[in-house]
Amino acid sequence: MTEEFNIEGAENLVAIADQFAQQGKVTDIKAFGSGNINDTFLVALASSEEQHFVLQRINTQVFRQPKLIMQNMCTFTEHVRKRLQHSPLNRRWEVPRVLLTKDAQDHCKDTDGSFWRAISFIENSQSFDTMRDRAQAQEIGYALGMFHNLISDLPPEKLADPLQGFHITPLYLQHYDKVLATANVCNNAEVDYCLRFVSDRQAFAYILENAKAEGKLPLRLMHGDPKINNVMFDIATQQAVSVIDLDTVKPGLVHYDIGDCLRSGCNPVGEETENWESVYFDTDLCQGILQGYLSVAKAFLTENDYAYIYDAIRLIAFELGLRFFADYLAGNTYFKVKHPEHNLARAIVQFKLTESIESQEMQIRNIIKDVK
C-alpha cells in the first residue's frame, strides 16, 4: 500500500478494488506509474484469467465531468474492439478495457464521494521516458498511427469534449495576453527572451485553427496526450503494443497529436534540462516517428493533412512554451513546480526546441515528403 493511505485507507482501497474484481480475490494493491493527475494503483488478483488490473481515482479538479470520460472510453474502446475482431492485425495490439463493477457500472464512488474506475492491465509491457534509437522511434510512430487509424471511422460527434479548449493555441495566447496585462514582470534576460519570442509568433498561433475553420483540416478524434511514455512496449519483442492514458481522447485535430508526439520524442535532452544551449530537435528520430506513423496513417490522411505536418511540429513546441511562460507570469498556478523559476526554465526549453525546429524547416519538410 502507499504511504498516504493509513490502515483505514488501505481497507477502503481493498473494498473499492473488490467492487471491480469479477475474476478472483484481491491479493495486493500498490501505487503504480508516474502520472501527476489521477491516483493510480495496480491491483493483483488470485485468478487464472486476469492477474492484474489498474484502479484509478479520477482527479475531478482537472476532469470535472468524470462520467463523460467514462462514456467516451466505453464508446471508443468498444468501437476499436469490434474493428480488431473484424480485421485482426498480424501482431500483438491491445486496447485497455473498461472494467465494470459487480453491479455493471463503469465507476464507483467511495464514502468521501471520490470517483473510482478500473481498466485492464497490459501484461508483460513497459514504457520509456526517452527514446533510445530510431527503431524505437518507428514503433512509437506506428503506435500513434494505429491509435488514430482504429478510431478514424468513428464520427467525432459520438464523443464528448471533457477538456474544452485543450490544445487550441489561440486560446492559450488569449490567456497569456490577459495574464501579461496584470502581471508584475521582473525584466531580466530570460524573461525578455520569452516576451520577444511570443510577440514574434502571435500570428503563427492561429495556423491550425484557421485551417480547421477554412475546412482544410477535418475534425477527427485525437488522443490529446501522446507523450512517448504513454506507449507500451512488449517486453519480449520490444514492439509497441498499446497506447494508454485515454482520458483526453476527444474531437480535435490529429495534428496536435503528431506535434506533441514529435515534441516529446525528438528532444533528446528532455523537458527539464537547465542547459538551454544543448536543446535541439533530432531529425533522425523525427524521421523514425514519421515513418512509423505514416505507414499506418496514410490509410486516412488527405493531401492537406500532409501540408500542415511541419506547422504542427513547430506549433506544439511553441504552445507548450507559451503555457509554461504564462503560468510563470501568473505565479505558477497550474503546473507543479520545484522552485519559483521552474516554469520559466521549462518555457525556455520549449522555445529553444521551437527555434531548432524552425532552423531545420527544409529538412523536416523533405523528411515528410520522403516518407509520404
Side-chain angles (χ1 to χ4, degrees):
M1 303 293 179
T2 58
E3 288 157 32
E4 317 129 57
F5 284 89
N6 52 24
I7 296 299
E8 191 183 328
E11 283 170 7
N12 182 32
L13 207 50
V14 172
I16 292 156
D18 194 51
Q19 301 261 328
F20 295 96
Q22 309 254 24
Q23 304 283 347
K25 195 171 169 328
V26 173
T27 56
D28 185 40
I29 303 179
K30 55 174 184 275
F32 183 63
S34 57
N36 44 15
I37 293 181
N38 299 323
D39 295 323
T40 305
F41 303 90
L42 187 63
V43 179
L45 295 172
S47 156
S48 56
E49 287 179 44
E50 234 163 318
Q51 288 162 353
H52 299 93
F53 67 83
V54 176
L55 180 69
Q56 284 184 314
R57 176 165 53 186
I58 303 251
N59 180 338
T60 49
Q61 293 305 109
V62 174
F63 298 108
R64 294 182 182 277
Q65 295 174 285
K67 284 183 180 171
L68 282 187
I69 289 178
M70 297 315 296
Q71 202 178 301
N72 278 0
M73 214 164 153
C74 291
T75 302
F76 72 77
T77 53
E78 183 57 17
H79 174 85
V80 171
R81 196 183 63 78
K82 282 184 180 151
R83 261 198 65 172
L84 288 172
Q85 263 180 347
H86 185 256
S87 24
L89 304 178
N90 57 0
R91 57 182 272 178
R92 180 184 175 197
W93 186 260
E94 291 185 39
V95 180
R97 298 185 327 279
V98 174
L99 304 183
L100 300 180
T101 62
K102 287 171 179 165
D103 52 0
Q105 300 301 305
D106 60 25
H107 68 279
C108 73
K109 289 189 174 176
D110 62 17
T111 47
D112 302 338
S114 292
F115 190 102
W116 293 86
R117 58 106 182 265
I119 40 187
S120 61
F121 176 63
I122 311 292
E123 296 281 0
N124 303 315
S125 69
Q126 66 188 134
S127 65
F128 302 94
D129 287 324
T130 52
M131 204 109 68
R132 282 186 314 219
D133 52 32
R134 191 148 139 190
Q136 198 178 47
Q138 258 181 299
E139 283 297 309
I140 290 207
Y142 171 89
L144 183 61
M146 184 52 69
F147 180 85
H148 283 163
N149 194 1
L150 290 169
I151 53 175
S152 62
D153 57 342
L154 179 61
E157 59 276 11
K158 290 270 178 82
L159 294 201
D161 187 343
L163 280 177
Q164 298 279 340
F166 182 58
H167 269 327
I168 295 185
T169 318
L171 293 180
Y172 293 122
L173 191 60
Q174 280 171 26
H175 171 69
Y176 166 80
D177 288 336
K178 232 186 266 173
V179 168
L180 190 59
T182 57
N184 186 4
V185 184
C186 69
N187 286 72
N188 58 36
E190 280 93 7
V191 170
D192 288 346
Y193 165 78
C194 291
L195 289 168
R196 201 170 55 250
F197 196 89
V198 176
S199 153
D200 288 347
R201 288 163 185 76
Q202 297 265 337
F204 171 63
Y206 292 82
I207 191 155
L208 292 187
E209 286 303 307
N210 284 354
K212 184 172 83 180
E214 290 158 15
K216 291 177 183 169
L217 295 178
L219 192 69
R220 295 192 181 98
L221 290 175
M222 63 181 217
H223 181 281
D225 190 22
K227 296 194 301 284
I228 63 172
N229 59 7
N230 282 334
V231 175
M232 302 306 293
F233 282 77
D234 184 297
I235 288 171
T237 64
Q238 287 303 306
Q239 286 187 317
V241 292
S242 190
V243 177
I244 58 163
D245 205 356
L246 306 174
D247 293 337
T248 48
V249 175
K250 56 173 258 173
L253 297 175
V254 293
H255 289 70
Y256 289 125
D257 278 353
I258 297 167
D260 208 13
C261 183
L262 286 151
R263 176 201 65 72
S264 74
C266 302
N267 168 12
V269 296
E271 285 173 25
E272 297 291 331
T273 182
E274 303 259 324
N275 180 8
W276 301 315
E277 298 317 309
S278 69
V279 175
Y280 73 101
F281 183 83
D282 188 322
T283 50
D284 202 39
L285 294 176
C286 167
Q287 186 165 11
I289 292 179
L290 285 174
Q291 263 170 343
Y293 180 76
L294 294 173
S295 72
V296 204
K298 60 172 178 267
F300 64 85
L301 290 180
T302 66
E303 261 323 295
N304 274 343
D305 285 323
Y306 288 103
Y308 282 94
I309 289 176
Y310 166 75
D311 299 308
I313 297 168
R314 179 187 170 202
L315 184 71
I316 296 298
F318 170 69
E319 177 188 286
L320 186 59
L322 177 69
R323 292 174 65 197
F324 282 138
F325 187 45
D327 200 35
Y328 166 74
L329 294 173
N332 305 316
T333 57
Y334 184 84
F335 296 104
K336 291 178 184 170
V337 292
K338 293 188 174 135
H339 55 88
E341 309 291 301
H342 195 169
N343 276 324
L344 176 62
R346 285 166 167 160
I348 295 172
V349 170
Q350 294 305 317
F351 291 157
K352 291 289 182 192
L353 189 64
T354 308
E355 277 180 2
S356 177
I357 291 164
E358 291 167 348
S359 72
Q360 301 179 87
E361 176 175 355
M362 281 322 295
Q363 200 182 340
I364 296 168
R365 287 191 184 276
N366 285 334
I367 288 170
I368 295 163
K369 210 159 60 192
D370 291 346
V371 297
K372 185 176 151 187

